[in-house]
Amino acid sequence: MKDILTAPFMVEMIRTTTNMYNHGWDERNGGNISLLLDETEVKEYLDTDHVIRSIPTGFSAPELDGRYFLVTGTGKYFKNVQYAPDVNLGLVRLCDGGETAQLLWGYTDGGKFTSEFPAHMMSHVARLKVDSANRVVMHCHPANLLAMTYVHTLDEREFTRTLWQMCTECIVVFPDGVNVLPWMLCGTNEIGEATAEKMLTARLVVWSLHGIYGAGKDLDETFGLIETAEKAAEIYMKIAHLPRVNTITDDMMHQLEERFGVKGREGYLD
Ligand code: 2HA
Ligand code: ZN
């Protein structure tokens, strides 16, 4: 059996949580990540018959029965993942229709998965319906996106259009735009269901006055997605209070669509 700390998925998870912390997106215990793994890759590192303990999830997700996830722990700091991955991360397999998570590795201090586990698992179900290559759900608290939800309308079309106008490449990176949830109590099945519903039409879901969710095929791509939206929000927060002299017009965005072979969300461009 190979050392799980050398597994590419583990190395990438450690690098990503560290990088996110260094970006200031994950203060204290802020943020969480879940990464869907293939059973064959897990079996290279773990005896999958050896269940350390079983943890009730509090929701059902029959679509994910038997699936493996590497997940950040509740109350744990992204800052510390690199120093003690086995305490701050856990590898679980869902069973009983998603109602139980079998711990196969990690959470060695007796901990468990993130409080946002419902939002993560329900979002995986939603994204897998529209993109079978989806593997990652990522949540964090980037300052400018968060700030923007205090001063910008939460209308999804308007929010998306503003972000697209802030950097030329935005419409290319997230042509499906950004969906927006109003403030809701975090850590609940309700916000999980609402997030998953929004994930059916976009890979980015803003939680107003809280943070953002991103989804993608790997950690690098999902990080880059949030990074791009956050950069756009940063530009917005720099210019929102100033007279706008120039902007990226809808005509320019149509040129980008053609050049890069993408299609902006239906009805979002004039
Ligand atoms: O657990 O970000 O939304 C930390 C969070 C909860
Ligand atoms: Zn959060």
Side-chain angles (χ1 to χ4, degrees):
M1 207 68 79
K2 295 195 264 180
D3 177 1
I4 194 167
L5 293 178
T6 67
F9 58 78
M10 186 67 69
V11 171
E12 199 55 25
M13 182 67 124
I14 294 168
R15 285 183 183 158
T16 302
T17 46
T18 303
N19 194 18
M20 290 173 76
Y21 174 72
N22 289 338
H23 272 66
W25 299 351
D26 298 277
E27 74 290 343
R28 200 174 181 273
N29 63 321
N32 24 75
I33 304 180
S34 57
L35 170 64
L36 174 59
L37 302 170
D38 289 335
E39 182 166 58
T40 46
E41 64 184 331
V42 175
K43 279 183 185 290
E44 289 179 39
Y45 304 93
L46 290 178
D47 170 7
T48 53
D49 292 330
H50 181 240
V51 176
I52 300 167
R53 51 195 159 95
S54 288
I55 313 170
T57 65
F59 59 85
S60 88
E63 300 90 338
L64 297 178
D65 215 52
R67 308 303 299 265
Y68 296 80
F69 292 91
L70 183 62
V71 191
T72 53
T74 182
K76 298 297 190 272
Y77 296 15
F78 274 28
K79 173 171 76 69
N80 296 336
V81 173
Q82 60 182 317
Y83 306 114
D86 62 320
V87 177
N88 295 290
L89 302 173
L91 200 158
V92 298
R93 176 176 54 212
L94 291 185
C95 63
D96 301 334
E99 289 181 27
T100 305
Q102 297 175 316
L103 181 64
L104 303 177
W105 175 88
Y107 305 144
T108 52
D109 64 350
K112 65 174 199 170
F113 40 75
T114 168
S115 59
E116 304 297 357
F117 203 51
H120 278 255
M121 294 303 109
M122 293 173 192
S123 293
H124 276 285
V125 172
R127 284 313 303 171
L128 287 168
K129 277 186 194 150
V130 288
D131 176 11
S132 62
N134 198 83
R135 292 290 176 274
V136 177
V137 173
M138 182 182 282
H139 166 63
C140 55
H141 305 159
N144 293 287
L145 279 163
L146 193 35
M148 200 170 148
T149 66
Y150 285 84
V151 297
H152 192 282
T153 169
L154 302 179
D155 176 85
E156 290 171 340
R157 181 177 184 274
E158 289 309 313
F159 204 94
T160 296
R161 285 177 54 81
T162 296
L163 290 177
W164 283 352
Q165 287 165 1
M166 293 302 111
C167 306
T168 292
E169 301 219 322
C170 278
I171 190 169
V172 180
V173 176
F174 49 96
D176 44 358
V178 172
N179 286 340
V180 184
L181 282 180
W183 185 90
M184 292 178 72
L185 188 60
C186 52
T188 62
N189 288 354
E190 288 69 30
I191 201 170
E193 283 155 15
T195 306
E197 176 71 30
K198 294 287 187 193
M199 279 282 178
L200 290 170
T201 48
R203 291 177 301 148
L204 286 168
V205 179
V206 168
W207 279 10
S208 296
L209 322 179
H210 182 138
I212 191 161
Y213 268 74
K217 70 176 181 350
D218 58 38
L219 289 164
D220 214 28
E221 185 200 71
T222 313
F223 177 91
L225 181 65
I226 294 177
E227 185 182 30
T228 307
E230 169 61 3
K231 177 63 153 297
E234 182 180 358
I235 309 295
Y236 177 75
M237 294 309 296
K238 282 184 197 293
I239 66 156
H241 58 296
L242 299 171
R244 181 113 49 114
V245 178
N246 302 303
T247 197
I248 300 172
T249 63
D250 284 29
D251 176 59
M252 292 170 187
M253 286 197 252
H254 286 304
Q255 290 181 48
L256 288 161
E257 285 181 311
E258 199 157 315
R259 174 73 180 81
F260 291 96
V262 298
K263 186 83 188 75
R265 176 95 158 251
E266 190 63 40
Y268 275 31
L269 288 178
D270 295 330

